């Protein structure tokens, strides 16, 4: 009997052990983030007590997904990221520093930094391909921003952007006019340009002059048409009167009265 009980208990015990091991592995898997989820060249670490996620020089062409949402410092520098889509960093509410320098970013969609306004204090966009960016892109952002070494178009839009953000210390001199609405500004530091010229005021004056020239052109066309129309009618009336003079007297009087009423 004892031997029979041992035979029966052995499979039951093994089953319980296997079941316990299965639940343990399941629990362990839910707690540990699998390394395979990270893109090649990306890895988490801890620096000065801050949770850091590094993807420097990882040949990325887009902002990676599955970044741990408790990340404080994110390095995406030295990649080939061409643009930042809306809500690109929406799931990173604790982010303090974001490095996007030395990429190929030429376009930033509105709302790309949405959700970062509360905590982000450093944003590096230097050495990219930014030409023109709306000030609304950085709406409510309190971070210090580095915009140096980009091929900027110096115009009213850039002037509004610079006045809407807080620039990183010592980075303002690197914002240089690659192109400009005024040729004499090309190659100059942008802060030097707007210290002497209000580009938004210049743009407004240029627009006003263009509108006046356009309105004057249309007015001149209308006047020219009216003059032509009156002269053409006068010429037709003169020819008709000459024709009437060649007619017999009775027929001429009736035609003259008809012509005069038509002209009036």
């Amino acid at each position: 009997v004892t031997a029979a009980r041992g035979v029966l208990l052995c499979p039951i015990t093994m089953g319980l052990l296997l079941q316990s091991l299965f639940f343990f592995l399941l629990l362990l898997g839910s707690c540990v983030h699998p390394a395979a989820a990270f893109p090649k060249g990306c890895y988490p670490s801890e620096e000065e007590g801050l949770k850091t996620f590094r993807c420097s020089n990882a040949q990325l062409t887009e902002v990676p997904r599955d970044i741990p949402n408790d990340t404080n410092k994110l390095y995406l520098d030295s990649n080939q990221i061409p643009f930042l889509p809306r809500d690109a960093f929406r799931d990173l509410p604790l982010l303090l520093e974001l490095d996007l320098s030395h990429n190929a970013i030429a376009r930033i969609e509105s709302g790309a930094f949405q959700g970062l306004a509360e905590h982000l204090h450093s944003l590096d966009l230097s050495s990219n391909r930014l030409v023109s960016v709306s000030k609304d892109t950085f709406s409510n952002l309190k971070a210090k921003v580095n915009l140096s070494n980009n091929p900027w178009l110096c115009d009213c839009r850039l002037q509004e952007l610079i006045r809407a953000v807080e620039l990183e210390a010592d980075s303002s001199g690197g914002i240089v006019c690659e192109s400009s609405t005024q040729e004499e500004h090309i190659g100059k530091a942008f802060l030097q340009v707007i210290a002497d010229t209000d580009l938004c005021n210049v743009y407004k004056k240029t627009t006003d002059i263009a509108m006046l020239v356009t309105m004057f052109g249309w007015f001149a066309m209308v006047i020219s048409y009216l003059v032509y129309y009156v002269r053409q009618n006068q010429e037709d009336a003169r020819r008709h009167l000459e024709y009437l003079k060649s007619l017999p007297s009775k027929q001429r009087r009736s035609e003259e009265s008809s012509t005069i009423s038509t002209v009036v």
Side-chain angles (χ1 to χ4, degrees):
V1 175
T2 304
R5 286 180 180 177
V7 171
L8 289 173
L9 287 174
C10 186
I12 295 174
T13 304
M14 290 297 295
L16 290 173
L17 287 173
L18 289 174
Q19 188 176 14
S20 299
L21 180 62
F22 172 77
F23 282 115
F24 174 75
L25 292 175
L26 186 65
L27 180 62
L28 183 64
S30 66
C31 295
V32 178
H33 198 292
F38 300 142
K40 183 180 179 180
C42 299
Y43 61 91
S45 65
E46 188 165 325
E47 299 178 6
E48 300 176 352
L50 297 175
K51 294 189 176 180
T52 303
F53 193 76
R54 285 191 174 273
C55 288
S56 302
N57 200 20
Q59 299 183 348
L60 298 176
T61 56
E62 62 180 4
V63 176
R65 300 172 184 174
D66 298 321
I67 299 173
N69 57 16
D70 59 351
T71 298
N72 303 128
K73 300 170 71 175
L74 176 59
Y75 292 89
L76 300 175
D77 55 301
S78 302
N79 287 289
Q80 292 93 43
I81 300 172
F83 81 102
L84 301 178
R86 182 179 178 85
D87 294 327
F89 308 99
R90 180 185 58 185
D91 298 326
L92 302 173
L94 302 180
L95 199 61
L96 301 175
E97 297 181 19
L98 175 57
D99 190 348
L100 290 160
S101 64
H102 297 90
N103 272 282
I105 300 171
R107 183 167 61 93
I108 303 176
E109 291 186 355
S110 178
F113 303 113
Q114 189 170 322
L116 301 181
E118 291 299 321
H119 297 93
L120 192 70
H121 62 70
S122 178
L123 172 60
D124 194 345
L125 285 164
S126 63
S127 300
N128 277 282
R129 299 178 185 174
L130 296 172
V131 175
S132 183
V133 179
S134 170
K135 65 176 181 178
D136 297 333
T137 303
F138 302 95
S139 180
N140 299 321
L141 211 60
K142 300 174 183 177
K144 293 182 179 180
V145 184
N146 188 343
L147 298 173
S148 61
N149 299 319
N150 281 280
W152 291 109
L153 166 64
C154 292
D155 59 359
C156 178
R157 198 179 194 199
L158 180 57
Q159 179 173 311
E160 290 179 338
L161 170 63
I162 296 301
R163 290 177 176 174
V165 301
E166 182 179 356
L167 295 177
E168 188 74 41
D170 302 324
S171 70
S172 58
I175 303 174
V176 178
C177 301
E178 179 81 11
S179 58
S180 176
T181 52
Q182 299 184 43
E183 190 173 348
E184 64 268 22
H185 296 156
I186 296 176
K188 291 184 178 180
F190 185 67
L191 290 190
Q192 178 186 347
V193 170
I194 59 175
D196 302 326
T197 308
D198 187 343
L199 294 180
C200 293
N201 191 39
V202 169
Y203 174 78
K204 184 177 183 300
K205 286 182 178 178
T206 304
T207 304
D208 290 344
I209 291 171
M211 289 180 63
L212 286 173
V213 170
T214 303
M215 290 175 63
F216 179 79
W218 279 105
F219 183 73
M221 288 177 61
V222 171
I223 295 298
S224 299
Y225 176 77
L226 289 174
V227 170
Y228 170 79
Y229 180 78
V230 170
R231 287 182 177 178
Q232 188 66 31
N233 279 356
Q234 288 178 342
E235 184 66 20
D236 291 342
R238 184 184 63 78
R239 290 176 182 173
H240 193 62
L241 288 173
E242 288 179 354
Y243 166 74
L244 292 177
K245 289 179 182 179
S246 65
L247 297 176
S249 58
K250 288 184 179 180
Q251 185 179 356
R252 185 172 60 209
R253 289 193 193 98
S254 61
E255 290 286 345
E256 284 178 351
S257 61
S258 176
T259 300
I260 292 171
S261 64
T262 301
V263 172
V264 173

